[in-house]
Amino acid sequence: LWHIIDSTILNDPSDRWGQLQFLGPGGPHVFGIKNTVFAGGPAGCGALCAGQHCGLGIAAGPCNSQYLLEGVDFSGVIGRRVEFGVHSSDAGHVLPMFLARDDSLGGHRALVSPFLDGFAKVPDCVQVGNEWGDAFACSRPVRRLNIWGPDSGDLSLNGPGYDTESNWDAPVLGMNAGRMLYEPVNGKAYGAPVVASGAYRLSGAWAGDMVIDFSDDVLGTYFGTPREQVIVEVGGVRCPVSATDDRHFLSPKGPVPRILETHTRIQDGRLRCGGPAAGAAQKPP
């Protein structure tokens, strides 16, 4: 769960050449930082910048990374504390999120990109200041949602956080209103941040079988909500997708050509719920 622990990341403000900036990884995973102090400045992109090179070259993707912080102290930072995207594809500026259960993020449970202006309409989410990257800060859980499989063109995601007018300027390119772009190089998938316990409608022209993947079981366990899930609807059919679902379709290089009945999936153009007794989902009453 923790990748950096008991560390101090500093820059001397009197150093005319240096900057304070930690360039974090991209990809649809949890990146954990615990008991760490960021201090000094001036901050470059920010003290902690999410998603370096995400979606470019051999760097990972999709870019809806989950940065988990515990016992992280930014109080001595001169400048911006966090930033969304650095030297990345457009998605790297829009899709990452920062998470905490303590005061590491100023008491907020989640920060999402300022480009996702639809989160202004989500209850318990407000926009915060420049020190937090002008993010939308939420007191409810926000997690990653990924759809793995072949390139099916743009997908559309409707639900909490995406009820807004499309912004077609770079780097947003409509992602604020639920446009999902394919990451073709390393992830071979789509991604977006979503509100846990929310209901989302997904649509697209499916080019093959896809697997739907929500969050990570270690996050639910950490936050004391091990059965976190979202409801996903495709073509009028609904399935719960849980953080504890089977992930045997996934490898370090992306999806493998193996889809089981335990996976919540789009198969032959239809949504099918995963689980021990999986089968075709039923239309809601």
Side-chain angles (χ1 to χ4, degrees):
L1 184 58
W2 305 111
H3 300 83
I4 300 174
I5 190 167
D6 299 333
S7 299
T8 303
I9 301 172
L10 307 172
N11 189 74
D12 183 350
S14 65
D15 180 353
R16 293 184 301 147
W17 304 105
Q19 290 182 316
L20 176 67
Q21 55 182 20
F22 181 93
L23 309 184
H29 51 62
V30 178
F31 184 77
I33 305 176
K34 182 176 181 179
N35 296 340
T36 293
V37 174
F38 292 84
C45 54
L48 175 59
C49 305
Q52 178 178 225
H53 296 158
C54 188
L56 301 177
I58 60 172
C63 297
N64 53 339
S65 310
Q66 302 170 125
Y67 280 68
L68 177 64
L69 279 57
E70 179 183 303
V72 175
D73 182 1
F74 291 105
S75 62
V77 171
I78 301 171
R80 183 173 287 197
R81 299 176 177 187
V82 301
E83 178 62 295
F84 298 84
V86 54
H87 313 309
S88 70
S89 67
D90 289 323
H93 298 275
V94 180
L95 302 183
M97 64 209 85
F98 296 90
L99 312 174
R101 68 181 183 188
D102 62 6
D103 291 332
S104 295
L105 296 173
H108 305 293
R109 293 296 167 262
L111 300 180
V112 299
S113 170
F115 295 115
L116 293 177
D117 57 323
F119 276 82
K121 298 181 181 179
V122 174
D124 305 317
C125 294
V126 297
Q127 191 162 23
V128 290
N130 182 261
E131 71 275 19
W132 296 114
D134 299 310
F136 289 97
C138 300
S139 60
R140 56 181 57 202
V142 179
R143 303 288 186 262
R144 67 172 182 87
L145 180 71
N146 291 97
I147 298 91
W148 303 86
D151 188 348
S152 298
D154 293 352
L155 306 184
S156 179
L157 183 70
N158 298 97
Y162 298 98
D163 179 19
T164 188
E165 293 294 322
S166 296
N167 177 356
W168 293 106
D169 293 337
V172 191
L173 305 179
M175 286 182 274
N176 67 317
R179 183 189 184 204
M180 301 184 76
L181 305 177
Y182 191 68
E183 198 291 300
V185 179
N186 297 298
K188 298 179 175 62
Y190 301 85
V194 295
V195 178
S197 301
Y200 289 85
R201 187 173 69 254
L202 185 64
S203 58
W206 312 111
D209 295 342
M210 317 289 286
V211 178
I212 301 175
D213 175 30
F214 169 69
S215 189
D216 295 87
D217 58 355
V218 292
L219 273 185
T221 300
Y222 174 80
F223 281 98
T225 51
R227 300 192 63 82
E228 286 183 346
Q229 65 176 28
V230 290
I231 301 298
V232 174
E233 177 183 332
V234 177
V237 177
R238 295 179 183 176
C239 288
V241 187
S242 171
T244 59
D245 285 353
D246 178 23
R247 289 189 171 84
H248 282 99
F249 67 91
L250 198 55
S251 79
K253 291 293 187 180
V256 298
R258 175 182 59 202
I259 296 180
L260 307 175
E261 290 190 352
T262 50
H263 302 145
T264 297
R265 61 212 183 272
I266 299 168
Q267 194 168 26
D268 299 324
R270 296 184 60 198
L271 180 65
R272 295 178 179 270
C273 299
Q282 300 298 313
K283 290 193 175 184

